Amino acid sequence: MIRVTVWNEYVHELNEPDVAAVHPNGIHATLAAFLSKEEDFAVRTCTLHDPEHGLTEEVLEDTDVLVWWGHMSHGRVADAVVDRVYKHIQGGMGLIALHSAHHSKIFKKLMGTSCNLRWRHGDRCRVWVVKPNHPIAAGVEETFSLPQEEMYGEPFDVPNPDDVVFMSWFSGGEVFRSGCTWTRGNGKIFHFQPGHELYPSYFEKNVQQVIKNAIRWAKPITKGVWIPVHEVAPLENIEQAINDEE
Amino acid sequence: MIRVTVWNEYVHELNEPDVAAVHPNGIHATLAAFLSKEEDFAVRTCTLHDPEHGLTEEVLEDTDVLVWWGHMSHGRVADAVVDRVYKHIQGGMGLIALHSAHHSKIFKKLMGTSCNLRWRHGDRCRVWVVKPNHPIAAGVEETFSLPQEEMYGEPFDVPNPDDVVFMSWFSGGEVFRSGCTWTRGNGKIFHFQPGHELYPSYFEKNVQQVIKNAIRWAKPITKGVWIPVHEVAPLENIEQAINDEE
Amino acid sequence: MIRVTVWNEYVHELNEPDVAAVHPNGIHATLAAFLSKEEDFAVRTCTLHDPEHGLTEEVLEDTDVLVWWGHMSHGRVADAVVDRVYKHIQGGMGLIALHSAHHSKIFKKLMGTSCNLRWRHGDRCRVWVVKPNHPIAAGVEETFSLPQEEMYGEPFDVPNPDDVVFMSWFSGGEVFRSGCTWTRGNGKIFHFQPGHELYPSYFEKNVQQVIKNAIRWAKPITKGVWIPVHEVAPLENIEQAINDEE
Amino acid sequence: MIRVTVWNEYVHELNEPDVAAVHPNGIHATLAAFLSKEEDFAVRTCTLHDPEHGLTEEVLEDTDVLVWWGHMSHGRVADAVVDRVYKHIQGGMGLIALHSAHHSKIFKKLMGTSCNLRWRHGDRCRVWVVKPNHPIAAGVEETFSLPQEEMYGEPFDVPNPDDVVFMSWFSGGEVFRSGCTWTRGNGKIFHFQPGHELYPSYFEKNVQQVIKNAIRWAKPITKGVWIPVHEVAPLENIEQAINDEE
């Protein structure tokens, strides 16, 4: 079983009827609904409003892959929680950063850049598979259209990705590396652009397939960093050799 | 001085009045015209029709960066010439592969892939700078439009680039990694998508700036591969140490 | 089941008693012996001496991952077979290139470089895990020693790998990126340095673990390249928009 | 002129006679001494003890490349100064992180990882050029020996570098990616392993050549991030087209 924790700030849905109409129980519930149908996933959800935002040491210790959606309330996420999530990612927990999570504290802390991008509401979006044999592209159509999405455009200020799996086209003239992977410590990270709160992208079958694939790809191989921080003894004894040369 | 050799198959221009109208003396002459204005460039041109396609050992030995345009006559380039160019790139000569040079023998031999892509004539193209601080992007506008270009679309079947410097948007719905760099041996390689024979892209100031930047970026630091192919002596004497351990 | 084909040139073992003492039935048999114990592997072997070197269209069509060992007889591998293997790798077949396979025709054709390196017989080798959370490093000790190996040293003339999973230390003073991954077309490629014919490296448990992991990592997600080579129709209809601007 | 600022924590040299014997005026003075001989460099130095550690907004605005040496006092560097340096690197200022600067606040903030590594005092170190045609390797011997250095060993917990230019061998059995590049925002970053405070590595000609090359490589192409953070207008007018389809 892959232990999946879906985190959502859950603010738009409570305050904006238009968003609530799309995600009546919150974006986290929309995500959990299709993820829970997978036999190898054990899914829990939590939000900004839970104590410690639901991301206690116990929950993170029990999480293989964390899915993150946040937008207008990045600043309300406690730094102590961000540091805890960061530590777990270094130790091997996977992170799936969805849509505006590109500007979350945790994603920016992992990237070491501003993660800025161009943006605009209400464009048509077309997603392309760029690396068809990547595990995250398995079973995804070579291209699919999202009739309404928020435009995210280049330059996307992130470090060179390990792999660019998807790229997006927008009707207003922009392009975007819309599905990218990185490694930080032992943790695997994937950012995926679709998912503005007003549009039903998380109900689209290809989008769902990408997120399921990404979770399976990001599950840890090993958990726990074993790089020693203390001085280590030599493994090869070549003192005599050094003397020989002198 | 950077010694630049511009190679062009020079077939469309001789056979098609529409192309000749754009490039009366050939695409190589169009390119050489703006490159020759640079004080640090020494430019020569040659074509498919020259003996050994103009790419003799003497010419390549005297070349820092080779610019390549080819399209319908890739198959007419002699394998012996391709092998010679390949050897010089390994030794440090730079290669700027323009437009349909993505399917040239030399580019495919360097990539180790099919270099296939989607294509269609006559779209509008918009180029975006993705990596603004890369030397090849210096002085280039953050985005510029080419009213008519051949669409090149993803997936572009190439190995992961070292850097993606530009990406393109097409009016028909496609996206493309339109300016990418790779290293092969000591040689630096850059592919740039604009430049269909029917359209005046090589007269556009940003396109010209990109090609000039790319030439300066691709000039060799060292020429000549010094990796030994014979057995080498040990640099550290630790025989005694090995005995100590036994 | 992952369909594994182990290919070996099988020349040293027939001509040199010292090598036959290590690999009485050939290196391919040594490899197949431990690979066949894996329940998810279906293993076959073939050699240079088989018709078409055993790598017919039927065999390759029935292969998910090809393991390759060759050394002194690279030049005897028929170009037609190399081209066939190349085509299958582009289509998604994985390739595990062992030891001196770095100089095989197929590996060089995929890399687009000389694949030269420094070399010397009979050093002590110590392998280090560099990327512990990579699937190929799963269950491998953080470092392990091979008392006798052929030294392979940098510079290793290959394109930037996607990932450097292992690096090696040699008693004579050299270092090497000893376990690297690349993608070519839909095919995943892994080169692993240990395995000189005179030394029992393929009996070492960590070396075996690496090769088993690499096979599982390299199995195709999709087989068959679906990039169209013919002209494609536009997906978005923006003719009207173009007219509007004029 | 490239405006170079050399920053040193300057603590070991004041407290430890053995270190003062190697660097009588501090490591920053040792570095500035050979850097100042370059006609294209304008060099200034500052240390932890200066107001704002010498890294005021004015100084950073006037800096193209910042060279950083720190070790025991990383924790004493004010977070406000780290944030200011970070902002300037995002905007294009280069950073050369020397030796134990791998654990500095600024380097870890840029990497998004622990930057942990194995370490031990007093090994022999041999540096190898891995990417001979990289600008940072220009004029550097293919290998050179440092008779005494602190061992830094893999796994080095950093994100995949853009380029691995150098690798090091240590007499105790370890290996290390000792000269790596990354890009963050518009800033170019290079880490170089040699330079323990007790050993005269910064007087070695190859080490000096690497640092000079790195400074020239890291100078900004453009300064100032121009990625808009506000909503942007569409560049292509395809409203009509969207309507056509409906």
Side-chain angles (χ1 to χ4, degrees):
Chain A
M1 289 299 268
I2 303 176
R3 299 164 299 171
V4 181
T5 298
V6 177
W7 189 91
N8 177 22
E9 67 176 31
Y10 198 30
V11 174
H12 287 291
E13 304 93 319
L14 298 176
N15 299 334
E16 301 171 42
D18 285 359
V19 179
V22 181
H23 301 289
N25 299 308
I27 290 172
H28 54 293
T30 299
L31 294 165
F34 72 83
L35 294 175
S36 298
K37 292 178 184 160
E38 303 298 301
E39 294 195 353
D40 54 335
F41 289 179
V43 182
R44 69 152 63 79
T45 66
C46 50
T47 76
L48 183 67
H49 314 294
D50 294 318
E52 304 186 49
H53 314 322
L55 299 171
T56 60
E57 183 65 31
E58 292 67 33
V59 165
L60 293 172
E61 185 60 41
D62 193 45
T63 299
D64 291 315
V65 181
L66 177 63
V67 179
W68 192 281
W69 198 100
H71 183 211
M72 65 185 300
S73 303
H74 293 319
R76 291 169 60 195
V77 179
D79 289 343
V81 172
V82 174
D83 289 347
R84 194 187 295 151
V85 171
Y86 182 85
K87 184 193 70 176
H88 279 268
I89 291 169
Q90 302 297 329
M93 185 177 75
L95 177 71
I96 313 301
L98 294 176
H99 188 62
S100 42
H102 76 93
H103 255 181
S104 63
K105 286 181 180 178
I106 182 61
F107 189 70
K108 291 198 289 184
K109 188 177 173 75
L110 290 162
M111 294 294 107
T113 61
S114 73
C115 302
N116 285 347
L117 43 72
R118 305 174 80 84
W119 60 274
R120 183 176 57 252
H121 289 128
D123 269 41
R124 184 157 32 145
C125 171
R126 177 171 284 286
V127 181
W128 289 91
V129 174
V130 169
K131 195 148 188 173
N133 203 29
H134 195 285
I136 302 183
V140 178
E141 288 178 282
E142 59 181 294
T143 183
F144 59 93
S145 181
L146 300 170
Q148 287 273 300
E149 251 303 342
E150 183 176 4
M151 181 281 288
Y152 276 10
E154 296 283 343
F156 185 20
D157 182 22
V158 285
N160 279 358
D162 289 351
D163 282 310
V164 177
V165 187
F166 304 99
M167 281 166 42
S168 288
W169 173 100
F170 293 91
S171 51
E174 291 87 0
V175 294
F176 193 65
R177 290 169 291 173
S178 52
C180 294
T181 71
W182 296 267
T183 308
R184 290 295 181 267
N186 282 332
K188 292 178 176 172
I189 298 159
F190 179 65
H191 177 261
F192 192 46
Q193 155 251 316
H196 185 72
E197 64 272 12
L198 272 170
Y199 313 125
S201 297
Y202 294 136
F203 297 91
E204 206 275 341
K205 68 178 178 178
N206 287 288
V207 171
Q208 292 186 355
Q209 185 66 38
V210 168
I211 297 172
K212 291 186 287 187
N213 288 343
I215 289 169
R216 291 190 181 100
W217 166 83
K219 73 169 188 288
I221 303 297
T222 58
K223 289 195 80 165
V225 177
W226 43 255
I227 302 167
V229 292
H230 51 83
E231 187 162 4
V232 293
L235 294 157
E236 306 283 342
N237 171 15
I238 68 166
E239 290 308 307
Q240 185 60 40
I242 293 175
N243 293 338
D244 281 355
E245 251 184 36
E246 283 164 0
Chain B
M1 289 299 270
I2 302 177
R3 299 165 299 172
V4 180
T5 298
V6 177
W7 189 90
N8 176 21
E9 66 175 32
Y10 197 30
V11 175
H12 287 291
E13 304 93 319
L14 298 176
N15 299 334
E16 302 170 41
D18 284 0
V19 179
V22 182
H23 301 289
N25 298 307
I27 290 172
H28 54 294
T30 300
L31 293 165
F34 72 83
L35 294 175
S36 297
K37 292 179 185 161
E38 302 298 301
E39 295 196 351
D40 54 336
F41 289 179
V43 181
R44 68 152 63 80
T45 66
C46 50
T47 76
L48 183 67
H49 314 295
D50 294 318
E52 303 186 49
H53 313 323
L55 299 171
T56 60
E57 184 64 33
E58 292 67 33
V59 165
L60 293 173
E61 185 61 41
D62 193 45
T63 298
D64 291 315
V65 181
L66 177 64
V67 179
W68 191 281
W69 198 100
H71 183 210
M72 65 184 299
S73 303
H74 293 319
R76 291 169 60 195
V77 178
D79 288 343
V81 172
V82 174
D83 289 347
R84 194 187 294 149
V85 171
Y86 182 86
K87 183 193 71 176
H88 279 268
I89 291 169
Q90 302 297 328
M93 185 177 75
L95 177 71
I96 312 302
L98 293 177
H99 188 61
S100 43
H102 75 93
H103 255 182
S104 63
K105 286 182 180 178
I106 182 61
F107 189 71
K108 292 198 290 184
K109 188 178 173 76
L110 290 161
M111 294 294 108
T113 60
S114 73
C115 302
N116 285 346
L117 43 71
R118 305 175 79 85
W119 61 274
R120 184 178 56 252
H121 290 127
D123 269 41
R124 184 156 33 143
C125 171
R126 177 170 285 286
V127 181
W128 288 91
V129 175
V130 169
K131 196 148 188 174
N133 203 30
H134 195 285
I136 302 183
V140 178
E141 288 178 283
E142 59 182 294
T143 183
F144 59 94
S145 180
L146 300 170
Q148 287 273 299
E149 251 302 344
E150 183 176 3
M151 181 282 289
Y152 276 10
E154 297 283 343
F156 185 20
D157 182 22
V158 285
N160 279 359
D162 289 352
D163 282 310
V164 178
V165 187
F166 304 100
M167 280 167 42
S168 288
W169 174 99
F170 293 91
S171 50
E174 290 87 359
V175 294
F176 193 65
R177 290 168 291 173
S178 53
C180 294
T181 71
W182 296 267
T183 309
R184 290 295 180 268
N186 282 332
K188 291 178 177 173
I189 299 159
F190 178 65
H191 177 260
F192 191 46
Q193 154 253 315
H196 185 72
E197 64 271 12
L198 273 169
Y199 313 125
S201 297
Y202 294 136
F203 297 90
E204 205 275 341
K205 68 177 178 177
N206 287 288
V207 171
Q208 293 186 355
Q209 185 66 38
V210 168
I211 297 172
K212 291 185 287 188
N213 288 342
I215 288 169
R216 292 190 179 100
W217 166 84
K219 73 170 188 288
I221 302 296
T222 58
K223 289 195 80 164
V225 177
W226 44 254
I227 301 167
V229 291
H230 51 83
E231 187 164 4
V232 293
L235 294 157
E236 306 283 343
N237 170 15
I238 68 165
E239 290 308 307
Q240 185 61 41
I242 292 175
N243 292 339
D244 281 355
E245 250 185 36
E246 283 162 2
Chain C
M1 290 297 272
I2 303 176
R3 300 164 297 171
V4 181
T5 298
V6 178
W7 190 91
N8 177 22
E9 66 175 33
Y10 198 30
V11 174
H12 287 292
E13 303 93 319
L14 298 176
N15 298 334
E16 301 170 41
D18 284 0
V19 178
V22 181
H23 301 290
N25 299 308
I27 290 172
H28 53 296
T30 299
L31 293 165
F34 72 83
L35 294 175
S36 298
K37 291 179 185 161
E38 302 299 301
E39 294 196 352
D40 54 335
F41 289 0
V43 182
R44 68 152 64 79
T45 66
C46 50
T47 75
L48 183 67
H49 314 295
D50 294 319
E52 302 186 52
H53 313 323
L55 299 171
T56 61
E57 184 63 32
E58 292 68 32
V59 165
L60 292 173
E61 187 58 43
D62 193 45
T63 298
D64 291 314
V65 181
L66 177 63
V67 179
W68 192 281
W69 198 101
H71 183 210
M72 65 185 299
S73 302
H74 292 319
R76 291 169 59 194
V77 178
D79 287 343
V81 171
V82 173
D83 289 347
R84 194 187 295 151
V85 170
Y86 181 86
K87 185 193 68 176
H88 279 268
I89 290 169
Q90 302 297 330
M93 185 178 73
L95 176 71
I96 313 300
L98 293 176
H99 187 63
S100 43
H102 75 94
H103 255 180
S104 62
K105 286 182 180 178
I106 182 60
F107 189 70
K108 291 198 290 185
K109 187 177 174 76
L110 291 161
M111 294 294 108
T113 60
S114 73
C115 302
N116 285 346
L117 45 72
R118 306 174 78 84
W119 60 275
R120 183 176 58 252
H121 290 128
D123 269 40
R124 184 154 34 142
C125 171
R126 177 170 285 286
V127 181
W128 288 91
V129 174
V130 168
K131 195 145 189 175
N133 203 30
H134 195 285
I136 303 184
V140 178
E141 288 177 282
E142 60 182 294
T143 182
F144 59 93
S145 180
L146 300 169
Q148 288 271 300
E149 252 302 344
E150 183 175 3
M151 182 282 289
Y152 275 10
E154 296 283 342
F156 184 22
D157 182 21
V158 286
N160 279 359
D162 289 351
D163 282 309
V164 177
V165 187
F166 303 100
M167 283 167 40
S168 288
W169 174 100
F170 293 92
S171 51
E174 290 87 359
V175 293
F176 193 66
R177 290 168 291 173
S178 52
C180 294
T181 71
W182 296 267
T183 309
R184 290 293 181 269
N186 282 331
K188 292 177 176 174
I189 299 160
F190 179 65
H191 177 260
F192 192 46
Q193 154 253 316
H196 185 73
E197 64 271 12
L198 272 170
Y199 313 126
S201 296
Y202 294 136
F203 297 91
E204 206 275 341
K205 68 176 178 179
N206 287 288
V207 171
Q208 293 186 354
Q209 185 66 40
V210 169
I211 297 171
K212 291 185 288 188
N213 288 342
I215 288 169
R216 291 190 180 101
W217 166 84
K219 74 170 188 286
I221 302 296
T222 58
K223 289 196 82 166
V225 177
W226 43 255
I227 303 167
V229 292
H230 51 83
E231 187 162 3
V232 293
L235 294 157
E236 306 283 343
N237 172 16
I238 68 167
E239 289 310 307
Q240 186 59 43
I242 292 176
N243 293 338
D244 281 354
E245 251 185 36
E246 282 164 10
Chain D
M1 289 297 271
I2 303 176
R3 300 163 299 170
V4 181
T5 298
V6 178
W7 190 91
N8 177 22
E9 67 175 32
Y10 197 30
V11 174
H12 287 292
E13 303 94 318
L14 298 175
N15 299 333
E16 302 170 41
D18 284 0
V19 178
V22 180
H23 301 290
N25 300 307
I27 290 172
H28 53 295
T30 299
L31 293 165
F34 72 81
L35 294 175
S36 298
K37 291 179 185 161
E38 302 299 300
E39 295 196 352
D40 54 336
F41 288 179
V43 182
R44 69 152 63 80
T45 66
C46 50
T47 76
L48 182 68
H49 314 296
D50 294 319
E52 303 186 50
H53 313 322
L55 299 171
T56 61
E57 184 63 33
E58 292 68 31
V59 165
L60 292 173
E61 186 59 42
D62 193 43
T63 298
D64 292 315
V65 181
L66 177 63
V67 179
W68 192 281
W69 198 102
H71 182 211
M72 65 186 297
S73 303
H74 292 319
R76 292 169 59 193
V77 178
D79 287 343
V81 172
V82 173
D83 290 347
R84 194 187 294 149
V85 170
Y86 181 87
K87 185 194 69 177
H88 279 269
I89 291 169
Q90 302 297 329
M93 185 177 74
L95 177 71
I96 313 301
L98 293 176
H99 187 62
S100 42
H102 75 94
H103 255 179
S104 62
K105 286 181 179 178
I106 182 60
F107 188 71
K108 291 198 290 185
K109 187 177 174 76
L110 291 160
M111 293 294 108
T113 59
S114 73
C115 302
N116 285 346
L117 44 72
R118 306 174 77 85
W119 60 275
R120 183 177 57 252
H121 290 127
D123 269 41
R124 184 154 35 141
C125 171
R126 176 170 284 287
V127 181
W128 287 91
V129 174
V130 168
K131 195 145 188 175
N133 203 30
H134 195 285
I136 303 184
V140 178
E141 289 177 282
E142 60 181 293
T143 182
F144 59 93
S145 180
L146 300 169
Q148 288 272 299
E149 251 302 344
E150 183 175 3
M151 182 281 289
Y152 275 11
E154 296 284 343
F156 184 20
D157 182 22
V158 285
N160 279 359
D162 289 351
D163 282 309
V164 177
V165 187
F166 304 100
M167 282 167 41
S168 288
W169 173 100
F170 293 92
S171 51
E174 290 86 0
V175 293
F176 193 65
R177 289 169 291 174
S178 53
C180 293
T181 71
W182 296 267
T183 309
R184 290 294 181 271
N186 282 331
K188 292 178 176 175
I189 299 160
F190 178 65
H191 177 260
F192 192 44
Q193 154 252 315
H196 185 72
E197 64 271 12
L198 272 170
Y199 313 126
S201 296
Y202 294 135
F203 297 91
E204 206 276 340
K205 67 176 180 179
N206 286 288
V207 171
Q208 293 186 354
Q209 184 66 39
V210 169
I211 297 171
K212 291 186 288 188
N213 288 342
I215 288 169
R216 291 189 180 101
W217 166 84
K219 74 169 188 287
I221 303 295
T222 59
K223 289 195 81 166
V225 177
W226 42 254
I227 303 168
V229 292
H230 51 83
E231 187 164 2
V232 293
L235 294 156
E236 306 283 344
N237 171 15
I238 68 168
E239 290 309 307
Q240 185 60 44
I242 291 175
N243 294 337
D244 281 355
E245 252 186 34
E246 283 162 9

